[in-house]
Amino acid sequence: MGAPESSGPRVILCGVGGVGRRVTRLLSFRPGYRIVAAYTRNRDLAGQDLGRLAGIEPNGVIVTTDRDAALRQPADIVIVATTSFLRAVAPELRAAVEHNLNAITTAEEAAFPWLTDETLTDELDQLAQDRGVSLLGVGLNPGFIFDALLLTATGPAWDARRIRIRRVVDVSRFSATIQRRLGIGFSRERFEAGVRAGTIFGHIGFPQSFHLAAKCLGRTLDDYRKSFEPVIAERPFSNDFLTVQPGQTVAFIQRDEGVIGGEPWIDSEFIAFIDPSAGDFVAQDSISIQGYNPLNLTIRPGCQPQLGSAAMVANSIPKVIAAAPGFRTVADLPPLCPPPTQSDRLAEAARNW
Ligand SMILES: NC(=O)c1ccc[n+]([C@@H]2O[C@H](COP(=O)([O-])OP(=O)(O)OC[C@H]3O[C@@H](n4cnc5c(N)ncnc54)[C@H](OP(=O)(O)O)[C@@H]3O)[C@@H](O)[C@H]2O)c1
């Protein structure tokens, strides 16, 4: 369903955690954009005003746990910001499509969903095509650094013989759930046991970005390797969400490799920290494309994950509404860009994000 000519997109939120609240703030500064409903599984949040929850003035949108009631509101698109896993967001994507709504999800596995579950993705893709709407998995990463930006950066390359990426990221403003799932706040033994047991994931979504990049650059990865190295706190450290004691993980270094013919073709070093002093960490992103005419790209300071992800979601909205129906990736979309905004108020609202 396309946006009406006379006004901007009408948005429904599924999930009102960090992403949902930041998108609420950001869209409140965009003329024409309207959030018309918001729903969550969290009963403690039901009945609250979404604007107030997001730290801005009340906007009259009352958060509900009733998905059907929310999806019955006339709208153009649903933003699903709940969890990282395709199978967990699939019922929300299906419900949106069945209401003839486009949908964006920040679930990392949805950035290239065929990798996790081809059958489920094909089913959602077909359903979206039948209903004439589009689905997209997007955020900052996956969604930008390791895929949209990387692919754009290969534009002037004669070849992309080898790709190397490095990100150093402050993850201290993610919720406690996310920081713990990443691997922050554990003793070394519990960190290593959690990695082995699959309860500590590190950053999710690199395989999706790597496979998408490989597909766009005409390659197929035939192996994938991943390793972790915990960084242990020597002093206590607290943020708004978590307290880490000496002897617990305050950062970690994750290395991923996408392999072709036994050799890494793409690799990344991802350092996630909450206390910069634990390793003299400075947020920074870099991409190196090696080949006939090499290209080295550095972003300093690195992209701020919360602001960047909220912007990627918000800036995707008109592109997803206009996209060809089906399950899309960022590689199918034109470059994302923000509309003009009342920047003086935006600066005020961006504080403490
Ligand atoms: N691609 C990217 O670059 C990118 C960027 C940002 C975020 N993400 C991902 O997007 C997701 C949301 O991020 P966030 O920062 O908003 O997280 P958050 O602050 O933890 O909020 C998530 C909200 O969704 C709810 N929720 C969690 N699992 C759910 C499920 N299975 N079904 C329904 N609701 C569920 C939570 O409810 P409770 O309060 O009941 O727990 C919470 O209210 C995370 O998985 C995150 O990793 C991806």
Side-chain angles (χ1 to χ4, degrees):
M1 185 188 289
E5 288 278 312
S6 56
S7 62
R10 296 159 300 176
V11 178
I12 295 173
L13 294 185
C14 166
V16 290
V19 170
R21 293 176 201 199
R22 291 184 189 97
V23 168
T24 299
R25 287 197 194 200
L26 182 48
L27 293 187
S28 74
F29 296 100
R30 296 201 165 172
Y33 282 75
R34 279 174 297 149
I35 297 178
V36 296
Y39 72 97
T40 175
R41 71 173 181 184
N42 187 332
R43 293 184 183 283
D44 294 342
L45 302 177
Q48 297 197 39
D49 181 279
L50 177 66
R52 202 182 286 276
L53 200 58
I56 55 175
E57 60 275 15
N59 62 8
V61 176
I62 303 303
V63 176
T64 178
T65 52
D66 185 341
R67 175 171 73 190
D68 285 334
L71 294 182
R72 276 199 300 271
Q73 297 297 318
D76 303 293
I77 195 159
V78 181
I79 293 171
V80 180
T82 52
T83 178
S84 301
F85 307 104
L86 178 68
R87 293 183 188 95
V89 295
E92 307 302 341
L93 299 180
R94 192 178 291 112
V97 173
E98 284 170 348
H99 282 78
N100 299 322
L101 296 165
N102 302 281
I104 292 170
T105 178
T106 53
E108 288 88 339
E109 286 186 352
F112 188 68
W114 294 270
L115 189 62
T116 302
D117 191 329
E118 201 170 336
T119 307
L120 175 60
T121 304
D122 285 346
E123 180 224 312
L124 291 168
D125 178 47
Q126 189 59 55
L127 189 61
Q129 289 189 44
D130 294 345
R131 296 296 184 121
V133 295
S134 313
L135 300 170
L136 177 74
V138 79
L140 187 69
N141 187 18
F144 184 64
I145 309 282
F146 281 52
D147 26 52
L149 180 63
L150 165 64
L151 289 166
T152 301
T154 62
W158 278 44
D159 58 354
R161 206 173 300 151
R162 180 85 169 80
I163 295 171
R164 312 203 70 173
I165 309 172
R166 186 166 188 272
R167 284 204 81 198
V168 186
V169 186
D170 181 348
V171 295
S172 64
R173 297 207 61 77
F174 280 115
S175 67
T177 309
I178 295 183
Q179 292 189 41
R180 298 283 290 175
R181 198 192 61 204
L182 282 165
I184 303 291
F186 297 93
S187 66
R188 181 184 289 277
E189 296 68 31
R190 288 195 58 205
F191 178 91
E192 288 169 355
V195 170
R196 276 196 304 278
T199 53
I200 290 175
F201 292 87
H203 188 283
I204 299 171
F206 295 146
Q208 283 71 20
S209 296
F210 284 13
H211 278 271
L212 177 59
K215 181 171 179 251
C216 293
L217 292 163
R219 284 146 168 104
T220 305
L221 301 183
D222 45 42
D223 199 5
Y224 199 92
R225 301 172 191 145
K226 174 174 167 180
S227 67
F228 288 107
E229 192 184 310
V231 177
I232 305 297
E234 290 178 1
R235 63 183 186 98
F237 184 82
S238 288
N239 59 35
D240 288 352
F241 305 97
L242 215 58
T243 295
V244 168
Q245 301 295 346
Q248 295 184 323
T249 46
V250 70
F252 64 88
I253 302 168
Q254 177 176 337
R255 296 189 178 87
D256 290 65
E257 279 184 349
V259 176
I260 300 176
E263 296 294 325
W265 172 70
I266 181 166
D267 73 69
S268 64
E269 181 178 74
F270 177 82
I271 302 175
F273 67 88
I274 60 168
D275 177 3
S277 73
D280 290 330
F281 300 124
V282 178
Q284 181 173 314
D285 301 315
S286 56
I287 297 174
S288 167
I289 298 160
Q290 299 169 7
Y292 179 72
N293 53 338
L295 183 142
N296 294 296
L297 183 68
T298 299
I299 304 174
R300 200 182 290 131
C303 288
Q304 207 275 3
Q306 287 82 27
L307 296 177
S309 296
M312 287 295 292
V313 169
N315 297 343
S316 297
I317 291 172
K319 314 285 182 188
V320 172
I321 292 172
F327 216 132
R328 310 258 63 99
T329 71
V330 283
D332 299 318
L333 300 187
L336 306 181
C337 37
T341 306
Q342 298 167 3
S343 55
D344 49 337
R345 288 182 58 217
L346 194 61
E348 182 192 321
R351 237 183 292 128
N352 300 323
W353 275 22

